[in-house]
Amino acid sequence: MAEDFRIAWMIYAGGVLVLLLAGWWFMRNWTWSWLRRTLLITFAAALLIPARSSLENAVAVPLLPLFVYQILFEEEGATPEVTANLVFASGGALALMAILGLITLYLGYRREKRRRTDQDPYFDER
């Protein structure tokens, strides 16, 4: 990748990082922290993952801006490759956060059950 594209990617990644930190800051008081994390990870995946190209020496372009550009300015709309990349990047981030959320819920349930059992020796859910 050429030096000017590296600089452009660094500026773009810095801007996305600032945007995500601002989102975290404004959502920091939400009681549902799993929703905040899921939204931020999904947006980060959509904004930072580069689109795959069929050309050998093509420049990596971020997915969401490329998708929006193609929807607005190209006659045929977004290409299937860009759309599929965007769907799989966002879907993968959502699936990852769903798995982590389920694990967190299960561990929290076990921790709460152990705490109740330690406080009340006669407590039994069976």
Side-chain angles (χ1 to χ4, degrees):
M1 186 179 332
E3 184 67 26
D4 52 346
F5 287 114
R6 281 195 191 123
I7 293 172
W9 263 100
M10 290 187 326
I11 292 170
Y12 178 76
V16 169
L17 181 65
V18 167
L19 181 69
L20 292 173
L21 286 174
W24 175 83
W25 176 260
F26 287 113
M27 293 187 289
R28 72 186 185 281
N29 293 328
W30 284 15
T31 56
W32 293 356
S33 64
W34 60 270
L35 181 61
R36 178 186 68 224
R37 284 190 301 254
T38 302
L39 287 173
L40 291 175
I41 294 293
T42 304
F43 289 144
L47 288 170
L48 288 175
I49 294 180
R52 287 187 63 153
S53 177
S54 58
L55 301 174
E56 196 169 305
N57 292 328
V59 177
V61 179
L63 272 175
L64 192 59
L66 180 61
F67 180 78
V68 171
Y69 173 81
Q70 287 181 348
I71 289 288
L72 294 177
F73 298 113
E74 291 191 7
E75 290 180 13
E76 294 94 26
T79 61
E81 295 87 10
V82 172
T83 305
N85 282 331
L86 184 62
V87 167
F88 285 121
S90 300
L94 280 174
L96 176 69
M97 291 310 293
I99 290 169
L100 289 176
L102 288 173
I103 290 171
T104 304
L105 284 174
Y106 179 70
L107 292 176
Y109 169 74
R110 288 189 56 190
R111 189 177 312 119
E112 179 67 24
K113 186 177 174 183
R114 184 178 303 127
R115 186 186 61 78
R116 277 191 262 156
T117 305
D118 291 344
Q119 288 178 354
D120 185 6
Y122 299 108
F123 176 77
D124 192 9
E125 289 186 348
R126 285 186 255 162

Short mmCIF file of all heavy atoms in Angstrom, two decimals, residues 50-86:
data_model
loop_
_atom_site.label_atom_id
_atom_site.label_comp_id
_atom_site.label_asym_id
_atom_site.label_seq_id
_atom_site.Cartn_x
_atom_site.Cartn_y
_atom_site.Cartn_z
N PRO A 50 -11.73 -3.32 6.06
CA PRO A 50 -11.63 -2.92 4.66
C PRO A 50 -12.37 -3.89 3.74
O PRO A 50 -12.52 -5.06 4.04
CB PRO A 50 -10.12 -2.96 4.38
CG PRO A 50 -9.58 -3.90 5.39
CD PRO A 50 -10.48 -3.83 6.59
N ALA A 51 -12.83 -3.36 2.61
CA ALA A 51 -13.54 -4.17 1.63
C ALA A 51 -12.54 -5.02 0.85
O ALA A 51 -11.46 -4.56 0.49
CB ALA A 51 -14.31 -3.28 0.67
N ARG A 52 -12.91 -6.26 0.59
CA ARG A 52 -12.08 -7.12 -0.25
C ARG A 52 -12.35 -6.81 -1.70
O ARG A 52 -13.48 -6.57 -2.09
CB ARG A 52 -12.40 -8.58 0.01
CG ARG A 52 -11.89 -9.06 1.35
CD ARG A 52 -12.08 -10.52 1.48
NE ARG A 52 -11.29 -11.18 0.46
CZ ARG A 52 -10.81 -12.40 0.57
NH1 ARG A 52 -11.06 -13.08 1.65
NH2 ARG A 52 -10.10 -12.94 -0.38
N SER A 53 -11.32 -6.82 -2.47
CA SER A 53 -11.47 -6.52 -3.88
C SER A 53 -11.00 -7.71 -4.70
O SER A 53 -10.11 -8.46 -4.29
CB SER A 53 -10.65 -5.29 -4.23
OG SER A 53 -10.73 -5.04 -5.62
N SER A 54 -11.59 -7.86 -5.87
CA SER A 54 -11.17 -8.95 -6.75
C SER A 54 -9.90 -8.60 -7.51
O SER A 54 -9.23 -9.48 -8.04
CB SER A 54 -12.30 -9.30 -7.73
OG SER A 54 -12.63 -8.14 -8.49
N LEU A 55 -9.55 -7.33 -7.55
CA LEU A 55 -8.32 -6.90 -8.21
C LEU A 55 -7.12 -7.18 -7.33
O LEU A 55 -7.20 -7.09 -6.10
CB LEU A 55 -8.40 -5.41 -8.54
CG LEU A 55 -9.55 -4.98 -9.45
CD1 LEU A 55 -9.57 -3.48 -9.57
CD2 LEU A 55 -9.43 -5.65 -10.80
N GLU A 56 -6.01 -7.47 -7.96
CA GLU A 56 -4.83 -7.89 -7.21
C GLU A 56 -4.17 -6.74 -6.45
O GLU A 56 -3.81 -6.87 -5.30
CB GLU A 56 -3.83 -8.54 -8.16
CG GLU A 56 -2.76 -9.33 -7.45
CD GLU A 56 -1.98 -10.15 -8.44
OE1 GLU A 56 -2.59 -10.92 -9.19
OE2 GLU A 56 -0.75 -10.00 -8.44
N ASN A 57 -4.00 -5.59 -7.08
CA ASN A 57 -3.29 -4.47 -6.46
C ASN A 57 -4.25 -3.34 -6.07
O ASN A 57 -3.87 -2.18 -6.09
CB ASN A 57 -2.22 -3.93 -7.41
CG ASN A 57 -1.11 -4.93 -7.60
OD1 ASN A 57 -0.80 -5.68 -6.69
ND2 ASN A 57 -0.52 -4.94 -8.79
N ALA A 58 -5.45 -3.67 -5.69
CA ALA A 58 -6.44 -2.65 -5.34
C ALA A 58 -6.15 -2.10 -3.95
O ALA A 58 -5.60 -2.77 -3.09
CB ALA A 58 -7.84 -3.23 -5.39
N VAL A 59 -6.56 -0.87 -3.75
CA VAL A 59 -6.38 -0.20 -2.47
C VAL A 59 -7.50 -0.62 -1.53
O VAL A 59 -8.66 -0.73 -1.94
CB VAL A 59 -6.41 1.33 -2.68
CG1 VAL A 59 -6.30 2.05 -1.35
CG2 VAL A 59 -5.30 1.75 -3.62
N ALA A 60 -7.16 -0.88 -0.29
CA ALA A 60 -8.17 -1.24 0.70
C ALA A 60 -8.99 -0.01 1.07
O ALA A 60 -8.44 1.03 1.41
CB ALA A 60 -7.50 -1.82 1.93
N VAL A 61 -10.30 -0.15 0.99
CA VAL A 61 -11.22 0.95 1.28
C VAL A 61 -12.14 0.49 2.41
O VAL A 61 -12.61 -0.65 2.39
CB VAL A 61 -12.04 1.32 0.03
CG1 VAL A 61 -13.00 2.44 0.32
CG2 VAL A 61 -11.12 1.68 -1.12
N PRO A 62 -12.44 1.35 3.38
CA PRO A 62 -13.35 0.96 4.46
C PRO A 62 -14.74 0.60 3.91
O PRO A 62 -15.22 1.20 2.95
CB PRO A 62 -13.43 2.19 5.35
CG PRO A 62 -12.32 3.07 4.93
CD PRO A 62 -11.92 2.69 3.56
N LEU A 63 -15.37 -0.37 4.54
CA LEU A 63 -16.62 -0.92 4.03
C LEU A 63 -17.79 0.06 4.02
O LEU A 63 -18.42 0.27 2.98
CB LEU A 63 -17.04 -2.12 4.90
CG LEU A 63 -16.49 -3.46 4.48
CD1 LEU A 63 -16.88 -4.50 5.50
CD2 LEU A 63 -16.98 -3.83 3.13
N LEU A 64 -18.13 0.61 5.15
CA LEU A 64 -19.34 1.43 5.23
C LEU A 64 -19.26 2.67 4.35
O LEU A 64 -20.23 2.96 3.63
CB LEU A 64 -19.64 1.80 6.68
CG LEU A 64 -21.01 2.40 6.93
CD1 LEU A 64 -22.10 1.44 6.49
CD2 LEU A 64 -21.17 2.76 8.38
N PRO A 65 -18.17 3.43 4.34
CA PRO A 65 -18.11 4.57 3.41
C PRO A 65 -18.20 4.15 1.95
O PRO A 65 -18.85 4.83 1.15
CB PRO A 65 -16.77 5.23 3.72
CG PRO A 65 -16.47 4.83 5.10
CD PRO A 65 -17.03 3.46 5.27
N LEU A 66 -17.58 3.03 1.59
CA LEU A 66 -17.67 2.55 0.21
C LEU A 66 -19.10 2.15 -0.13
O LEU A 66 -19.61 2.45 -1.21
CB LEU A 66 -16.72 1.36 0.00
CG LEU A 66 -16.72 0.75 -1.40
CD1 LEU A 66 -16.29 1.76 -2.43
CD2 LEU A 66 -15.82 -0.48 -1.42
N PHE A 67 -19.78 1.48 0.80
CA PHE A 67 -21.16 1.08 0.59
C PHE A 67 -22.06 2.30 0.39
O PHE A 67 -22.87 2.36 -0.54
CB PHE A 67 -21.65 0.25 1.78
CG PHE A 67 -23.06 -0.22 1.67
CD1 PHE A 67 -23.39 -1.29 0.87
CD2 PHE A 67 -24.07 0.42 2.37
CE1 PHE A 67 -24.70 -1.73 0.76
CE2 PHE A 67 -25.37 0.00 2.28
CZ PHE A 67 -25.69 -1.07 1.47
N VAL A 68 -21.91 3.30 1.25
CA VAL A 68 -22.72 4.52 1.14
C VAL A 68 -22.42 5.24 -0.17
O VAL A 68 -23.32 5.71 -0.86
CB VAL A 68 -22.49 5.44 2.36
CG1 VAL A 68 -23.14 6.80 2.17
CG2 VAL A 68 -23.00 4.77 3.61
N TYR A 69 -21.15 5.33 -0.55
CA TYR A 69 -20.78 5.97 -1.80
C TYR A 69 -21.43 5.26 -2.99
O TYR A 69 -21.97 5.90 -3.89
CB TYR A 69 -19.25 5.98 -1.96
CG TYR A 69 -18.82 6.47 -3.32
CD1 TYR A 69 -18.77 7.82 -3.59
CD2 TYR A 69 -18.48 5.57 -4.33
CE1 TYR A 69 -18.39 8.28 -4.84
CE2 TYR A 69 -18.10 6.01 -5.58
CZ TYR A 69 -18.06 7.36 -5.84
OH TYR A 69 -17.70 7.82 -7.07
N GLN A 70 -21.35 3.93 -3.01
CA GLN A 70 -21.93 3.19 -4.12
C GLN A 70 -23.45 3.33 -4.17
O GLN A 70 -24.03 3.42 -5.24
CB GLN A 70 -21.53 1.72 -4.05
CG GLN A 70 -20.09 1.48 -4.40
CD GLN A 70 -19.71 0.01 -4.34
OE1 GLN A 70 -20.46 -0.81 -3.82
NE2 GLN A 70 -18.56 -0.30 -4.88
N ILE A 71 -24.09 3.34 -3.02
CA ILE A 71 -25.55 3.50 -2.99
C ILE A 71 -25.95 4.87 -3.53
O ILE A 71 -26.90 4.99 -4.30
CB ILE A 71 -26.08 3.33 -1.55
CG1 ILE A 71 -25.99 1.88 -1.10
CG2 ILE A 71 -27.51 3.84 -1.40
CD1 ILE A 71 -26.98 0.95 -1.76
N LEU A 72 -25.22 5.91 -3.15
CA LEU A 72 -25.60 7.27 -3.53
C LEU A 72 -25.18 7.67 -4.94
O LEU A 72 -25.93 8.36 -5.63
CB LEU A 72 -25.02 8.28 -2.53
CG LEU A 72 -25.56 8.21 -1.10
CD1 LEU A 72 -24.83 9.21 -0.22
CD2 LEU A 72 -27.05 8.44 -1.08
N PHE A 73 -24.00 7.25 -5.38
CA PHE A 73 -23.44 7.83 -6.59
C PHE A 73 -23.28 6.88 -7.77
O PHE A 73 -22.96 7.34 -8.86
CB PHE A 73 -22.08 8.48 -6.28
CG PHE A 73 -22.19 9.60 -5.29
CD1 PHE A 73 -21.63 9.48 -4.04
CD2 PHE A 73 -22.87 10.75 -5.61
CE1 PHE A 73 -21.72 10.51 -3.12
CE2 PHE A 73 -22.97 11.79 -4.69
CZ PHE A 73 -22.40 11.66 -3.44
N GLU A 74 -23.47 5.61 -7.60
CA GLU A 74 -23.34 4.70 -8.73
C GLU A 74 -24.73 4.29 -9.20
O GLU A 74 -25.65 4.12 -8.41
CB GLU A 74 -22.50 3.49 -8.34
CG GLU A 74 -21.04 3.87 -8.13
CD GLU A 74 -20.14 2.68 -8.00
OE1 GLU A 74 -20.61 1.55 -8.20
OE2 GLU A 74 -18.97 2.88 -7.70
N GLU A 75 -24.85 4.10 -10.51
CA GLU A 75 -26.15 3.82 -11.09
C GLU A 75 -26.73 2.47 -10.66
O GLU A 75 -27.92 2.35 -10.42
CB GLU A 75 -26.06 3.86 -12.61
CG GLU A 75 -25.83 5.25 -13.15
CD GLU A 75 -25.75 5.25 -14.67
OE1 GLU A 75 -26.10 4.23 -15.28
OE2 GLU A 75 -25.33 6.27 -15.21
N GLU A 76 -25.90 1.45 -10.59
CA GLU A 76 -26.40 0.11 -10.22
C GLU A 76 -26.50 -0.09 -8.71
O GLU A 76 -26.91 -1.14 -8.27
CB GLU A 76 -25.49 -0.98 -10.80
CG GLU A 76 -25.49 -1.05 -12.31
CD GLU A 76 -24.37 -0.24 -12.91
OE1 GLU A 76 -23.34 -0.03 -12.22
OE2 GLU A 76 -24.51 0.21 -14.05
N GLY A 77 -26.09 0.87 -7.94
CA GLY A 77 -26.10 0.72 -6.49
C GLY A 77 -24.85 0.01 -6.01
O GLY A 77 -23.84 -0.08 -6.70
N ALA A 78 -24.93 -0.51 -4.81
CA ALA A 78 -23.76 -1.18 -4.20
C ALA A 78 -23.52 -2.52 -4.89
O ALA A 78 -24.46 -3.24 -5.22
CB ALA A 78 -23.99 -1.38 -2.72
N THR A 79 -22.25 -2.84 -5.06
CA THR A 79 -21.91 -4.13 -5.66
C THR A 79 -22.17 -5.24 -4.66
O THR A 79 -22.14 -5.02 -3.45
CB THR A 79 -20.43 -4.16 -6.08
OG1 THR A 79 -19.63 -3.96 -4.92
CG2 THR A 79 -20.12 -3.08 -7.11
N PRO A 80 -22.46 -6.43 -5.16
CA PRO A 80 -22.74 -7.54 -4.24
C PRO A 80 -21.56 -7.87 -3.31
O PRO A 80 -21.78 -8.27 -2.16
CB PRO A 80 -23.02 -8.72 -5.17
CG PRO A 80 -23.41 -8.11 -6.47
CD PRO A 80 -22.69 -6.80 -6.55
N GLU A 81 -20.33 -7.67 -3.78
CA GLU A 81 -19.17 -7.97 -2.94
C GLU A 81 -19.11 -7.05 -1.73
O GLU A 81 -18.86 -7.49 -0.61
CB GLU A 81 -17.86 -7.84 -3.74
CG GLU A 81 -17.71 -8.82 -4.87
CD GLU A 81 -18.34 -8.33 -6.17
OE1 GLU A 81 -18.73 -7.15 -6.23
OE2 GLU A 81 -18.48 -9.13 -7.09
N VAL A 82 -19.35 -5.77 -1.95
CA VAL A 82 -19.30 -4.80 -0.86
C VAL A 82 -20.45 -5.05 0.11
O VAL A 82 -20.26 -5.03 1.34
CB VAL A 82 -19.33 -3.36 -1.41
CG1 VAL A 82 -19.48 -2.35 -0.29
CG2 VAL A 82 -18.08 -3.08 -2.21
N THR A 83 -21.62 -5.32 -0.43
CA THR A 83 -22.77 -5.60 0.43
C THR A 83 -22.54 -6.85 1.28
O THR A 83 -22.81 -6.86 2.49
CB THR A 83 -24.04 -5.77 -0.42
OG1 THR A 83 -24.20 -4.61 -1.24
CG2 THR A 83 -25.26 -5.95 0.45
N ALA A 84 -22.02 -7.90 0.66
CA ALA A 84 -21.76 -9.14 1.40
C ALA A 84 -20.69 -8.92 2.47
O ALA A 84 -20.82 -9.41 3.59
CB ALA A 84 -21.33 -10.24 0.44
N ASN A 85 -19.63 -8.18 2.13
CA ASN A 85 -18.60 -7.90 3.12
C ASN A 85 -19.17 -7.12 4.30
O ASN A 85 -18.85 -7.41 5.46
CB ASN A 85 -17.46 -7.09 2.49
CG ASN A 85 -16.54 -7.95 1.67
OD1 ASN A 85 -16.38 -9.12 1.93
ND2 ASN A 85 -15.94 -7.34 0.66
N LEU A 86 -20.03 -6.15 4.03
CA LEU A 86 -20.62 -5.36 5.11
C LEU A 86 -21.53 -6.22 5.98
O LEU A 86 -21.48 -6.15 7.22
CB LEU A 86 -21.40 -4.18 4.53
CG LEU A 86 -22.01 -3.21 5.52
CD1 LEU A 86 -20.91 -2.55 6.35
CD2 LEU A 86 -22.83 -2.17 4.80
#
